[in-house]
Amino acid sequence: MRIGTGYDVHKLVEGRKLMIGGIEIEHDKGLLGHSDADVLIHAIMDSILGALALGDIGKLFPDTDMKYKNIDSKILLKEVYDIINEKGYKIGNVDATIAAQKPKLAPYILDMRHTIASILNTDIDNISIKATTTEELGFVGRCEGISAQSVVLLVENK
């Protein structure tokens, strides 16, 4: 077994779609980043790469490489899943938390879980996603950005 943690944060800006957990969320702002800035998928990828001692997503998918410009983070997660397989592991479980003051994410969580479970080739019961606010404190509370944290357990693929 291997355990990894991940954290990501992106600034909210006008003129971008808001992508979280591989789905588009209705909101007047989106997250700024080199890719689609899917803060949840990025945190999950970092937790997986951390569990495998392979660094972070910036090492694997550098923001200096134009082939990743505006790329769908689901494509990157699939690449990380392929690495899990190559290393002889599979998902035990993922536990993730998104911190966003707005929009309310509860209506989207089941779709996020389905999307991520499908990419990681695991049962939806192995993917836990929670959303919280910061009670109007900090950059999240001021609606300046959204953050996500993830913990993953990888188990040997026997």
Side-chain angles (χ1 to χ4, degrees), residues 16-27:
R16 298 247 324 176
K17 292 189 293 186
L18 180 58
M19 299 298 297
I20 301 178
I23 62 170
E24 187 173 346
I25 309 294
E26 290 185 40
H27 194 50

Side-chain angles (χ1 to χ4, degrees), residues 94-157:
V94 172
D95 185 22
T97 303
I98 309 158
Q101 195 65 40
K102 292 179 185 173
K104 295 294 184 191
L105 298 175
Y108 302 98
I109 287 179
L110 184 59
D111 287 340
M112 292 178 196
R113 291 178 63 214
H114 276 292
T115 298
I116 291 166
S118 175
I119 296 166
L120 295 176
N121 194 29
T122 193
D123 192 275
I124 190 170
D125 291 336
N126 295 331
I127 306 296
S128 171
I129 299 171
K130 302 168 300 291
T132 189
T133 69
T134 60
E135 302 296 329
E136 299 182 357
L137 296 173
F139 72 89
V140 171
R142 292 187 301 271
C143 299
E144 295 171 359
I146 295 176
S147 68
Q149 298 179 59
S150 173
V151 176
V152 67
L153 173 67
L154 300 180
V155 295
E156 287 186 66
N157 197 3

